[in-house]
């Protein structure tokens, strides 16, 4: 959050949790919604984002790609919440309407200290909670980079279990 734009291809992207020097390749699974979720997280939960990025394990094989994880989490969350893509002027945009109307959404809004969050606010706050949960799960598991998908799958299963109750 504190560093200016380094250009599309730059080694700095790896230190921000992307898999390589060109972050565009990591956005295939989450697109614009993944980008917006990461921006929201960095702007509204910058201390959490900084702490997660800066406390990655020293050993490279025990680190996980934080930003890539965020893109994946946003895609999983969108699928779980039934977010649809609408096309306007040949550009796909996430349609977040309807999310904030459920009893679950109203309860979650109150838990975030607000009477009601709009659909985007609710989605991005849930995303932020999941980023923190993934980081805690990762550090507790002692997993390696190659076990990233297993840890992410465990988080997804736990989320599904919680939200279906």
């Amino acid at each position: 959050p504190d560093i200016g734009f380094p250009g599309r291809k730059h080694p700095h992207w790896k230190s921000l949790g992307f898999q390589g020097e060109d972050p565009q390749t990591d956005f295939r699974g989450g697109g614009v919604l993944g980008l917006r979720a990461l921006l929201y997280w960095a702007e509204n939960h910058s201390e959490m984002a900084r702490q997660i990025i800066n406390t990655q394990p020293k050993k490279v094989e025990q680190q996980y790609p934080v930003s890539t994880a965020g893109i994946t989490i946003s895609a999983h969350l969108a699928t779980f919440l039934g977010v649809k893509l609408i096309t306007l002027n040949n550009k796909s945009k996430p349609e977040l309407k309807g999310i904030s109307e459920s009893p679950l959404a109203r309860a979650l809004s109150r838990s975030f200290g607000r009477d009601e969050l709009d659909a985007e606010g609710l989605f991005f706050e849930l995303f932020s909670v999941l980023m923190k949960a993934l980081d805690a799960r990762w550090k507790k598991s002692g997993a390696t980079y190659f076990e990233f998908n297993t840890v992410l799958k465990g988080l997804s299963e736990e989320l599904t279990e919680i939200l279906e109750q």
Side-chain angles (χ1 to χ4, degrees):
D2 299 325
I3 299 167
F5 181 65
R8 195 180 111 203
K9 292 183 181 182
H10 193 277
H12 184 64
W13 290 113
K14 287 184 81 169
S15 69
L16 292 174
F18 290 96
Q19 292 180 342
E21 294 183 6
D22 182 358
Q24 180 178 345
T25 60
D26 289 343
F27 282 101
R28 287 181 294 235
V32 173
L33 185 59
L35 174 61
R36 290 179 57 211
L38 287 171
L39 285 172
Y40 180 92
W41 184 57
E43 292 172 354
N44 294 280
H45 298 280
S46 56
E47 286 302 313
M48 179 198 314
R50 236 184 248 104
Q51 188 266 336
I52 288 173
I53 290 169
N54 292 335
T55 60
Q56 288 288 299
K58 299 266 186 255
K59 292 183 178 180
V60 174
E61 64 272 5
Q62 291 181 317
Q63 297 175 359
Y64 69 95
V66 176
S67 295
T68 304
I71 295 164
T72 304
I73 285 173
S74 70
H76 282 269
L77 186 57
T79 299
F80 188 83
L81 295 174
V83 172
K84 295 175 177 50
L85 289 177
I86 57 171
T87 303
L88 299 170
N89 301 328
N90 296 325
K91 293 183 180 179
S92 291
K93 178 183 176 197
E95 175 59 73
L96 297 172
K97 290 180 184 172
I99 293 173
S100 58
E101 297 161 8
S102 72
L104 171 65
R106 287 192 293 278
L108 288 169
S109 292
R110 285 191 300 277
S111 75
F112 292 130
R114 301 182 181 144
D115 288 334
E116 192 170 317
L117 280 170
D118 64 3
E120 284 191 6
L122 180 61
F123 182 89
F124 295 137
E125 285 298 321
L126 281 170
F127 169 84
S128 298
V129 167
L130 291 173
M131 288 296 289
K132 188 170 187 166
L134 174 66
D135 189 64
R137 181 180 276 266
W138 181 266
K139 289 174 179 162
K140 183 179 177 184
S141 73
T144 66
Y145 180 85
F146 296 105
E147 297 168 299
F148 173 70
N149 285 331
T150 303
V151 174
L152 190 63
K153 183 179 178 190
L155 178 65
S156 181
E157 289 169 355
E158 184 179 345
L159 173 67
T160 301
E161 205 174 285
I162 290 168
L163 293 179
E164 286 180 345
Q165 293 177 358

